[in-house]
Amino acid sequence: MDKKGFIFDLDGVIVDTARYHYMAWKRLAESLGISFSKVKNEQLKGVSRVRSLEKILNWGNMELTEAQFNELLELKNNDYLAYIERMDKDEILPDVPRVLSFLKQNDQPIALGSASKNARTILKEVDLLEVFDEVIDGTNVTNAKPDPEVFLKAAEGLGMDPSDCIVFEDSVAGIRAANTGGMMSIGIGDPAVLHEATYVFKDFTEISNEFFSKLISE
Ligand code: B16
Ligand code: MG
């Protein structure tokens, strides 16, 4: 039987947490007098927590001591955790359950490949942890997206060759990571932003089961 490795990013692909990262970073940046916008936020999507703060400080030409830096990281994460604590299944993005069940019914291996250190907490909260055959997140990797490490580890965990894997991503960094890793990349979001992906869809409601069947048998 044909098999492909399906690897999903978490924030902005499986659940609608990208907006919580945005709100938490915006609050932090503005508290430092650094202006923050949705356009700037695109550059933080898929990027690790540490690297995101480095970028924000860079935009504001600000330098901090290591202790101050770590304090801000904790502040941002606590703010973010307060948002996700209230999450439930309603925040699973449209048609994600349909897609995951279709792949399961067709015995396709599925993995999570996320930069987030909070990935397992979030998956548990929305009751999806058991669905994934492999979960690779920010606690398992040393190199953040656009480095392909997270997706290569996910492919390895599924026992699949990277060239037989398909990555779903909402970030430019993640699409680059998938492409560099030799995988097919499918962007979820704005085609103008995610133009480096093999295909781009607004969300999963635009991806039919027939399309998945085609990917499986290709
Ligand atoms: P955390 P993904 C990424 O998750 C987010 O897109 C990015 O905005 C965030 O900074 C990063 O996780 C780290 O998250 O602070 O929870 O460890 O999109 O790769 O699932
Ligand atoms: Mg994402």
Side-chain angles (χ1 to χ4, degrees):
M1 204 206 153
D2 294 327
K3 271 202 201 313
K4 287 281 167 7
F6 288 88
I7 306 176
F8 295 85
D9 171 52
L10 177 67
D11 293 318
V13 169
I14 298 287
V15 281
D16 196 9
T17 41
R19 64 199 172 110
Y20 296 143
H21 281 297
Y22 167 71
M23 292 194 284
W25 282 129
K26 186 174 167 66
R27 183 155 146 186
L28 184 125
E30 288 177 352
S31 76
L32 298 171
I34 302 171
S35 72
F36 195 74
S37 62
K38 292 219 157 145
V39 173
K40 278 185 174 162
N41 187 58
E42 281 306 319
Q43 297 181 46
L44 304 186
K45 282 189 182 172
V47 173
S48 72
R49 200 182 308 163
V50 168
R51 190 71 199 105
S52 298
L53 183 54
E54 284 171 356
K55 282 184 175 232
I56 291 172
L57 295 175
N58 210 16
W59 293 331
N61 281 321
M62 239 177 137
E63 274 187 40
L64 298 178
T65 64
E66 199 184 326
Q68 287 169 324
F69 187 92
N70 290 333
E71 201 179 303
L72 290 185
L73 280 184
E74 202 182 324
L75 252 172
K76 186 271 172 178
N77 197 46
N78 288 341
D79 208 7
Y80 178 67
L81 286 173
Y83 288 122
I84 63 171
E85 242 170 48
R86 297 189 287 264
M87 270 183 86
D88 59 29
K89 282 178 165 188
D90 289 348
E91 292 181 70
I92 297 175
L93 286 162
D95 268 21
V96 166
R98 190 253 310 159
V99 166
L100 295 175
S101 351
F102 181 78
L103 295 175
K104 282 267 152 197
Q105 278 158 21
N106 286 280
D107 288 326
Q108 298 300 304
I110 55 179
L112 191 92
S114 167
S116 175
K117 292 187 170 165
N118 297 304
R120 283 175 187 272
T121 310
I122 295 170
L123 285 180
K124 263 189 225 149
E125 215 147 324
V126 298
D127 208 14
L128 281 179
L129 186 58
E130 305 307 320
V131 174
F132 292 91
D133 301 302
E134 179 67 282
V135 173
I136 304 291
D137 62 20
T139 64
N140 308 112
V141 293
T142 41
N143 304 301
K145 299 170 189 173
D147 189 283
E149 184 184 2
V150 64
F151 296 138
L152 291 174
K153 282 199 167 150
E156 194 187 338
L158 293 178
M160 299 296 293
D161 196 89
S163 62
D164 285 324
C165 289
I166 298 144
V167 172
F168 295 86
E169 254 294 345
D170 70 320
S171 73
V172 176
I175 296 291
R176 286 195 185 142
N179 292 345
T180 310
M183 304 172 187
M184 178 189 280
S185 55
I186 301 192
I188 301 293
D190 182 351
V193 176
L194 305 175
H195 55 86
E196 290 172 35
T198 319
Y199 299 98
V200 183
F201 297 96
K202 185 172 69 60
D203 57 32
F204 285 102
T205 64
E206 290 190 346
I207 318 183
S208 66
N209 288 349
E210 289 67 40
F211 181 82
F212 280 100
S213 297
K214 237 180 86 200
L215 289 180
I216 294 168
S217 59
E218 252 167 18

